[in-house]
Structure formats: C-alpha cells, structure tokens
Amino acid sequence: MTSSITSLDAYQNSARKMTGPHGDIAWWMRGNGRPLLLIHGFPTCSFDWFRIWPDLCEADFNPIALDMLGFGLSDKPAYHRYDLMQQADLQVQLLGELDIENCDIVAHDYGVSVAQEML
C-alpha cells in the first residue's frame, strides 16, 4: 500500500511514536516492499525524505524513517548529551520493534555517521 502525503501537516499527523530510553521518538513507514531505512542529517529530520517516499514505494521499497532524538517531532531532553551511539541504538530499536533483521540504508550528513555506528 503506497500512501501519498501532500502537506507538512499531514506528514506530522501521520507520525507514529516509539518510546526510547530518553523520550518519545517519532517515526514513519510506508509501503510493502523491501525495507529501506532512511537516516536524516543535521540539523534536519525525516521530513528530508518526504518528497521521494512515493517514488521509493513505487520502486518496491518500504521506506522507514525516524526523527532522531533532539530532531523534528522527537523529544528534545534538556541538558542531554546527544551522541552517535544513542542515535544508532534508536535506529536498531525501531528495526527490532518492526521485526526487521535486514534492510538497505540510505543516509546523509550526520546520518552517515549514525549508519557507520550501526555497522
């Protein structure tokens, strides 16, 4: 099932929540194809991927993205020391909760460092 989100409001309203060790994490998933984890950069959020999601679904991918802790719609705990390992752990937690053992990853900017920590 592909779904088209045509506005920022619709995108925000379609967010799901996962409870991480330091707060709630917003995440999205679309499609039924091969899992594709999209990891955003700094200082943005998963909305970076918004416009290409329909194309990814049509290409038989199941795009999955979360707003890392401190970004986008996810919690931003004050006085927290944000580090790459925690951000990588959140990605792994989401994949585990979705029972996904293998996936492709597309990352940019800060997200590349997070993906490297996952490896």
Side-chain angles (χ1 to χ4, degrees):
M1 171 179 113
T2 60
S3 102
S4 174
I5 297 179
T6 57
S7 72
L8 178 59
D9 287 338
Y11 180 82
Q12 291 173 332
N13 291 333
S14 67
R16 302 177 196 188
K17 294 288 181 167
M18 170 183 80
T19 301
H22 304 287
D24 287 339
I25 303 300
W27 66 277
W28 295 260
M29 181 169 64
R30 305 271 184 276
N32 295 315
R34 193 167 73 238
L36 177 64
L37 183 64
L38 305 170
I39 306 176
H40 68 79
F42 177 86
T44 61
C45 64
S46 61
F47 190 69
D48 286 356
W49 309 108
F50 156 74
R51 294 196 187 273
I52 66 169
W53 283 19
D55 294 331
L56 293 171
C57 291
E58 287 179 22
D60 201 30
F61 284 104
N62 177 12
I64 302 161
L66 61 77
D67 286 347
M68 290 185 270
L69 187 67
F71 297 86
L73 299 178
S74 291
D75 283 348
K76 297 157 189 69
Y79 309 108
H80 183 75
R81 183 177 178 272
Y82 298 88
D83 66 44
L84 293 173
M85 287 305 298
Q86 287 178 343
Q87 303 291 19
D89 289 346
L90 290 172
Q91 307 287 338
V92 171
Q93 178 183 342
L94 179 58
L95 292 174
E97 290 187 14
L98 296 173
D99 200 29
I100 296 172
E101 294 182 14
N102 296 299
C103 68
D104 294 317
I105 297 175
V106 175
H108 74 94
D109 191 61
Y110 178 76
V112 173
S113 296
V114 172
Q116 287 174 325
E117 291 299 335
M118 291 174 68
L119 293 173

